[in-house]
Amino acid sequence: MTPTITAVDTWEVLDSRGDPTVRVACEVDGEARSERGVFTVPAGASTGAHEATERRDGDDRYDGRGVRGAVAAVREELAPAVVGVDATDQRAVDATLEDRDGSEDLSRLGANAVLGVSGAVAHAAAAAREIPLYAHVADLAGREPGRVPLPMVNLLSGGLHAAGGIEIQDFLVIPAGAETYPEAIETVHAVRSALRERLIADGHRPLVADEGGFAPPLGSVDEAFSLLESAARDAGHEPSREDVAFAVDVAATHFYDADAGQYRLESLGRELDREGMLDLVEGWTERYPLVSVEDPLAEDDWDGFAALRERLDGTGVQCQVLGDDLLATNTGRVERAVSGGAASAVLVKPNQAGTVTRTLDVVERARQAGLATVVSARSGETCDATIADLAVGLDAGQIKIGSLARSERLAKYNRLLGIDHEAERGYAGGRWPPTTEG
Ligand code: 2PG
Ligand code: MG
C-alpha cells in the first residue's frame, strides 16, 4: 500500500532564541495504520543573501518575527496541494511544493512554510516504512546509509551569535583523533570543561551565546586560538591535526563594508581588504592546527575564495575552505564554486535550500565534484534532530551543530549517539580528513 499523505497540520512554536518558527505535522496512510511525521524549521541569525527566503509577519507580534503568514500558507496552499500524493516520493512532493510557491527563492509562500512541509513528509514516510529517517534519506539519495559524522564543535562564539565581542563568529574544535563517535563527544566535553575552568580562573563568567559557545571578551583572534590550545592541553590532548584540531567560521559577510571594500574588525581595531583577510587566514593556518575555515570572505567574493584555496594548496596545509553564505546550499552556486575552484567543502543547511530534495541534490553534486560536505544546524534551533539523520543518511562525513550545551544542540548530538548505539553504522572520524564513500 502506498503511503499517501492524508493530512497536513501546522502551528507556530518558539525556537531556542524564543523566536517563532513553523512546526508541521504530516499524516500518511501506512501499512496497518496511519503514521505521523513532525518537523520544525530552524532559523539563522547570520543569514546569507542567497538563501531561500523565510517569511516573517513583520507586524507587532514577536518583534515582527511571527510566522502566522507562513503557517497560513501551509494550511491554505501547500497542504491541499500535497494531500493525496505518495509520501515516499519526496521528489514529487517537493516539486509540487515548489510549483505551488512559484518563485525560485520560495519567497512567495515562504521557505519556512515549504521546508516545514517537505521535512514533515520525509518523517512521515520513514514512519510509514517503519525504518529510521536516516535509512529513508539514504534511499531517497539512492545510496546505502553512511557513517556517523565527525563533529566540529563550537567552543567560543562571537559575531551575530554573541551580540558584541569579537566579529569572528565561531571558534570550533574537531576531535580528529577520537576513534569512535562517543569518544569524540567525550574529548570535546573534556576540552570544553577545561576551557570553562580557564575562563573562570581568568575572572570571566562562563556565559554562553546562541549556540552554547562561551563568549568572553577576546582581545585578539590569537587569544581565542591560544585559549583553545591551552584547554586542549589541560584536558590531556594535543592541539594538532591528529588529535584536537581547530576550525573557524569567520562569517565575514557580516562585517564587510561593501562600499568601502573593507572588512571592519572593530573589536580588534583593524580594517582589512581582501588581501589582508587572506594574509590573516593564512597566518592562522601556519600557527594553529586549523583544518577548516568557513566564509573567510564576503558571500560574493568568488575570486577571493579561489585565491585562498590556491594559497592553501600552495602551502600544502590540509585546511578545507568551507562555503556557507557563499554557497547557500544551492546547486547553482555549488556548480559555480566547482568551476571556479572557490571552495573545497560545502556547508549543508536544509533551510537555505528550502526543500529536502534540493538539499539532497546539493550533497550529490558536491560529492561528484569531490567536495567535502558538512551538514549544519542554524543558530536558531529546536530539539528537532533531523539533521543528524540527514548527515548519516547522506554519509556527509562532517556535522556542525553548535556547542555541547543547550538542549536544542544536545538533541542532535544525542540522536547521533542513539544511531551509533543502535545501528553500527561506523564512524567517519578517527582521522582528518574524515572517511566518506566519495
Ligand atoms: C553559520 C550558522 C550556524 P546562522 O553561520 O554557519 O553556526 O549561523 O544559523 O546564524 O546562519
Ligand atoms: Mg557559517
Side-chain angles (χ1 to χ4, degrees):
M1 181 176 154
T2 307
T4 307
I5 299 171
T6 53
V8 175
D9 193 9
T10 179
W11 59 102
E12 191 179 64
V13 296
L14 301 186
D15 71 12
S16 54
R17 278 190 279 251
D19 284 344
T21 190
V22 179
R23 178 165 290 171
V24 177
C26 171
E27 261 178 53
V28 300
D29 272 337
E31 277 302 322
R33 56 181 194 278
S34 73
E35 294 286 353
R36 188 168 186 257
V38 179
F39 175 72
T40 310
V41 179
S46 65
T47 46
H50 306 290
E51 302 190 11
T53 306
E54 66 174 16
R55 177 165 170 188
R56 298 278 174 188
D57 296 336
D59 59 15
D60 37 13
R61 302 170 64 242
Y62 292 113
D63 300 327
R65 297 187 60 73
V67 292
R68 278 186 179 162
V71 162
V74 171
R75 197 169 293 139
E76 288 156 23
E77 298 213 40
L78 298 175
V82 295
V83 166
V85 176
D86 174 1
T88 60
D89 191 348
Q90 186 77 42
R91 200 163 280 278
V93 169
D94 289 340
T96 304
L97 296 173
E98 285 185 14
D99 218 52
R100 190 48 78 101
D101 178 87
S103 66
E104 183 51 37
D105 62 358
L106 308 177
S107 55
R108 190 180 79 80
L109 299 177
N112 41 353
V114 173
L115 181 68
V117 178
S118 181
V121 168
H123 275 276
R129 297 180 64 205
E130 298 183 2
I131 58 173
L133 180 63
Y134 67 79
H136 178 57
V137 166
D139 284 347
L140 293 177
R143 56 173 24 260
E144 285 297 308
R147 300 166 180 78
V148 174
L150 170 63
M152 59 167 78
V153 185
N154 179 344
L155 293 191
L156 288 168
S157 295
L160 296 178
H161 295 171
I166 201 162
E167 284 80 7
I168 314 287
Q169 185 176 284
D170 309 341
F171 295 89
L172 311 97
V173 291
I174 297 182
E179 293 293 333
T180 66
Y181 176 73
E183 211 180 301
I185 295 300
E186 275 183 44
T187 299
V188 175
H189 183 276
V191 177
R192 189 173 188 279
S193 291
L195 176 61
R196 187 173 186 279
E197 290 307 308
R198 263 187 184 268
L199 293 176
I200 293 170
D202 289 349
H204 303 305
R205 294 160 73 204
L207 304 176
V208 301
D210 286 4
E211 297 192 353
F214 297 118
L218 292 166
S220 69
V221 177
D222 289 286
E223 188 184 339
F225 283 124
S226 307
L227 273 168
L228 295 188
E229 284 185 321
S230 306
R233 291 204 180 97
D234 291 351
H237 288 275
E238 202 41 52
S240 71
R241 291 183 168 79
E242 290 72 41
D243 187 353
V244 173
F246 299 168
V248 66
D249 181 1
V250 181
T253 302
H254 304 285
F255 54 90
Y256 180 60
D257 178 341
D259 295 331
Q262 295 285 321
Y263 293 87
R264 298 196 191 283
L265 289 155
E266 277 168 24
S267 76
L268 309 178
R270 298 182 72 179
E271 284 197 8
L272 299 172
D273 60 8
R274 177 207 273 167
E275 283 304 307
M277 286 300 287
L278 295 181
D279 291 341
L280 186 70
V281 172
E282 192 181 341
W284 300 339
T285 65
E286 284 161 4
R287 293 194 293 286
Y288 308 105
L290 190 65
V291 296
S292 178
V293 55
E294 178 179 335
D295 284 358
L297 296 163
E299 62 197 339
D300 289 308
D301 191 357
W302 298 95
D303 293 343
F305 270 79
L308 180 64
R309 274 205 69 191
E310 251 177 59
R311 278 201 196 196
L312 296 182
D313 285 352
T315 60
V317 170
Q318 268 207 336
C319 178
Q320 69 187 9
V321 177
L322 174 57
D324 174 12
D325 291 349
L326 176 81
L327 305 177
T329 318
N330 177 300
T331 308
R333 293 183 74 85
V334 169
E335 206 61 65
R336 182 161 176 194
V338 170
S339 51
S344 51
V346 184
L347 203 75
V348 179
K349 292 169 165 172
N351 81 322
Q352 284 182 329
T355 67
V356 171
T357 302
R358 285 185 180 183
T359 309
L360 263 44
D361 288 348
V362 163
V363 172
E364 184 53 30
R365 181 65 193 107
R367 193 186 309 277
Q368 279 169 5
L371 303 187
T373 49
V374 184
V375 171
S376 172
R378 298 309 303 248
S379 50
E381 279 283 342
T382 62
C383 288
D384 185 296
T386 303
I387 58 161
D389 285 77
L390 205 60
V392 174
L394 298 175
D395 200 25
Q398 299 176 59
I399 195 163
K400 176 181 148 188
I401 297 172
S403 203
L404 274 193
R406 304 184 52 138
S407 298
E408 79 279 4
R409 312 288 145 193
L410 274 312
K412 287 110 173 134
Y413 288 112
N414 286 342
R415 171 64 184 149
L416 291 172
L417 282 169
I419 295 174
D420 183 75
H421 170 68
E422 284 162 17
E424 293 185 5
R425 296 273 7 120
Y427 176 50
R431 59 191 289 271
W432 182 266
T435 315
T436 56
E437 263 160 48

PDB file of all heavy atoms in Angstrom, residues 145-159:
ATOM      1  N   PRO A 145      23.000   3.879   3.621  1.00  0.00           N
ATOM      2  CA  PRO A 145      23.254   4.841   4.690  1.00  0.00           C
ATOM      3  C   PRO A 145      24.745   4.893   5.003  1.00  0.00           C
ATOM      4  O   PRO A 145      25.455   3.910   4.820  1.00  0.00           O
ATOM      5  CB  PRO A 145      22.484   4.280   5.883  1.00  0.00           C
ATOM      6  CG  PRO A 145      21.503   3.317   5.322  1.00  0.00           C
ATOM      7  CD  PRO A 145      22.083   2.809   4.038  1.00  0.00           C
ATOM      8  N   GLY A 146      25.198   6.054   5.451  1.00  0.00           N
ATOM      9  CA  GLY A 146      26.625   6.238   5.682  1.00  0.00           C
ATOM     10  C   GLY A 146      27.016   6.083   7.132  1.00  0.00           C
ATOM     11  O   GLY A 146      26.346   5.396   7.908  1.00  0.00           O
ATOM     12  N   ARG A 147      28.109   6.743   7.486  1.00  0.00           N
ATOM     13  CA  ARG A 147      28.677   6.652   8.829  1.00  0.00           C
ATOM     14  C   ARG A 147      28.175   7.795   9.707  1.00  0.00           C
ATOM     15  O   ARG A 147      27.684   8.799   9.200  1.00  0.00           O
ATOM     16  CB  ARG A 147      30.200   6.755   8.735  1.00  0.00           C
ATOM     17  CG  ARG A 147      30.845   5.682   7.897  1.00  0.00           C
ATOM     18  CD  ARG A 147      32.285   6.072   7.585  1.00  0.00           C
ATOM     19  NE  ARG A 147      32.931   5.056   6.767  1.00  0.00           N
ATOM     20  CZ  ARG A 147      32.748   4.916   5.448  1.00  0.00           C
ATOM     21  NH1 ARG A 147      31.956   5.733   4.785  1.00  0.00           N
ATOM     22  NH2 ARG A 147      33.353   3.968   4.788  1.00  0.00           N
ATOM     23  N   VAL A 148      28.384   7.619  10.997  1.00  0.00           N
ATOM     24  CA  VAL A 148      28.133   8.720  11.930  1.00  0.00           C
ATOM     25  C   VAL A 148      29.212   9.782  11.647  1.00  0.00           C
ATOM     26  O   VAL A 148      30.396   9.454  11.541  1.00  0.00           O
ATOM     27  CB  VAL A 148      28.204   8.224  13.392  1.00  0.00           C
ATOM     28  CG1 VAL A 148      28.103   9.390  14.368  1.00  0.00           C
ATOM     29  CG2 VAL A 148      27.083   7.213  13.644  1.00  0.00           C
ATOM     30  N   PRO A 149      28.801  11.044  11.476  1.00  0.00           N
ATOM     31  CA  PRO A 149      29.763  12.072  11.039  1.00  0.00           C
ATOM     32  C   PRO A 149      30.716  12.536  12.139  1.00  0.00           C
ATOM     33  O   PRO A 149      30.421  12.439  13.325  1.00  0.00           O
ATOM     34  CB  PRO A 149      28.852  13.231  10.622  1.00  0.00           C
ATOM     35  CG  PRO A 149      27.637  13.058  11.479  1.00  0.00           C
ATOM     36  CD  PRO A 149      27.449  11.570  11.637  1.00  0.00           C
ATOM     37  N   LEU A 150      31.842  13.061  11.695  1.00  0.00           N
ATOM     38  CA  LEU A 150      32.806  13.714  12.591  1.00  0.00           C
ATOM     39  C   LEU A 150      32.249  15.100  12.949  1.00  0.00           C
ATOM     40  O   LEU A 150      31.947  15.892  12.049  1.00  0.00           O
ATOM     41  CB  LEU A 150      34.145  13.859  11.851  1.00  0.00           C
ATOM     42  CG  LEU A 150      35.244  14.717  12.479  1.00  0.00           C
ATOM     43  CD1 LEU A 150      35.699  14.151  13.822  1.00  0.00           C
ATOM     44  CD2 LEU A 150      36.445  14.808  11.527  1.00  0.00           C
ATOM     45  N   PRO A 151      32.107  15.407  14.240  1.00  0.00           N
ATOM     46  CA  PRO A 151      31.547  16.717  14.593  1.00  0.00           C
ATOM     47  C   PRO A 151      32.608  17.810  14.665  1.00  0.00           C
ATOM     48  O   PRO A 151      33.741  17.559  15.075  1.00  0.00           O
ATOM     49  CB  PRO A 151      30.956  16.470  15.989  1.00  0.00           C
ATOM     50  CG  PRO A 151      31.787  15.376  16.582  1.00  0.00           C
ATOM     51  CD  PRO A 151      32.302  14.538  15.423  1.00  0.00           C
ATOM     52  N   MET A 152      32.239  19.031  14.237  1.00  0.00           N
ATOM     53  CA  MET A 152      33.036  20.209  14.593  1.00  0.00           C
ATOM     54  C   MET A 152      32.200  20.992  15.599  1.00  0.00           C
ATOM     55  O   MET A 152      31.015  21.238  15.374  1.00  0.00           O
ATOM     56  CB  MET A 152      33.440  21.041  13.370  1.00  0.00           C
ATOM     57  CG  MET A 152      32.350  21.589  12.508  1.00  0.00           C
ATOM     58  SD  MET A 152      32.992  22.830  11.348  1.00  0.00           S
ATOM     59  CE  MET A 152      33.764  21.825  10.085  1.00  0.00           C
ATOM     60  N   VAL A 153      32.812  21.310  16.744  1.00  0.00           N
ATOM     61  CA  VAL A 153      32.027  21.781  17.890  1.00  0.00           C
ATOM     62  C   VAL A 153      32.468  23.173  18.329  1.00  0.00           C
ATOM     63  O   VAL A 153      33.639  23.409  18.655  1.00  0.00           O
ATOM     64  CB  VAL A 153      32.157  20.779  19.064  1.00  0.00           C
ATOM     65  CG1 VAL A 153      31.248  21.202  20.214  1.00  0.00           C
ATOM     66  CG2 VAL A 153      31.814  19.359  18.615  1.00  0.00           C
ATOM     67  N   ASN A 154      31.518  24.061  18.363  1.00  0.00           N
ATOM     68  CA  ASN A 154      31.737  25.468  18.705  1.00  0.00           C
ATOM     69  C   ASN A 154      32.072  25.626  20.199  1.00  0.00           C
ATOM     70  O   ASN A 154      31.284  25.219  21.058  1.00  0.00           O
ATOM     71  CB  ASN A 154      30.410  26.184  18.357  1.00  0.00           C
ATOM     72  CG  ASN A 154      30.404  27.655  18.664  1.00  0.00           C
ATOM     73  OD1 ASN A 154      31.237  28.157  19.405  1.00  0.00           O
ATOM     74  ND2 ASN A 154      29.443  28.348  18.100  1.00  0.00           N
ATOM     75  N   LEU A 155      33.227  26.187  20.504  1.00  0.00           N
ATOM     76  CA  LEU A 155      33.562  26.431  21.916  1.00  0.00           C
ATOM     77  C   LEU A 155      33.576  27.910  22.256  1.00  0.00           C
ATOM     78  O   LEU A 155      33.290  28.285  23.392  1.00  0.00           O
ATOM     79  CB  LEU A 155      34.915  25.802  22.271  1.00  0.00           C
ATOM     80  CG  LEU A 155      34.994  24.274  22.249  1.00  0.00           C
ATOM     81  CD1 LEU A 155      36.299  23.806  22.882  1.00  0.00           C
ATOM     82  CD2 LEU A 155      33.811  23.617  22.957  1.00  0.00           C
ATOM     83  N   LEU A 156      33.952  28.757  21.306  1.00  0.00           N
ATOM     84  CA  LEU A 156      33.965  30.205  21.552  1.00  0.00           C
ATOM     85  C   LEU A 156      33.132  30.889  20.466  1.00  0.00           C
ATOM     86  O   LEU A 156      33.296  30.599  19.277  1.00  0.00           O
ATOM     87  CB  LEU A 156      35.399  30.738  21.516  1.00  0.00           C
ATOM     88  CG  LEU A 156      36.297  30.363  22.698  1.00  0.00           C
ATOM     89  CD1 LEU A 156      37.758  30.705  22.392  1.00  0.00           C
ATOM     90  CD2 LEU A 156      35.861  31.067  23.985  1.00  0.00           C
ATOM     91  N   SER A 157      32.264  31.789  20.885  1.00  0.00           N
ATOM     92  CA  SER A 157      31.335  32.428  19.951  1.00  0.00           C
ATOM     93  C   SER A 157      31.544  33.924  19.906  1.00  0.00           C
ATOM     94  O   SER A 157      31.863  34.555  20.920  1.00  0.00           O
ATOM     95  CB  SER A 157      29.886  32.177  20.385  1.00  0.00           C
ATOM     96  OG  SER A 157      29.554  30.820  20.303  1.00  0.00           O
ATOM     97  N   GLY A 158      31.318  34.477  18.718  1.00  0.00           N
ATOM     98  CA  GLY A 158      31.344  35.920  18.556  1.00  0.00           C
ATOM     99  C   GLY A 158      30.319  36.321  17.517  1.00  0.00           C
ATOM    100  O   GLY A 158      29.318  35.633  17.326  1.00  0.00           O
ATOM    101  N   GLY A 159      30.580  37.419  16.838  1.00  0.00           N
ATOM    102  CA  GLY A 159      29.718  37.860  15.744  1.00  0.00           C
ATOM    103  C   GLY A 159      28.269  38.037  16.160  1.00  0.00           C
ATOM    104  O   GLY A 159      27.970  38.418  17.285  1.00  0.00           O
TER     105      GLY A 159
END
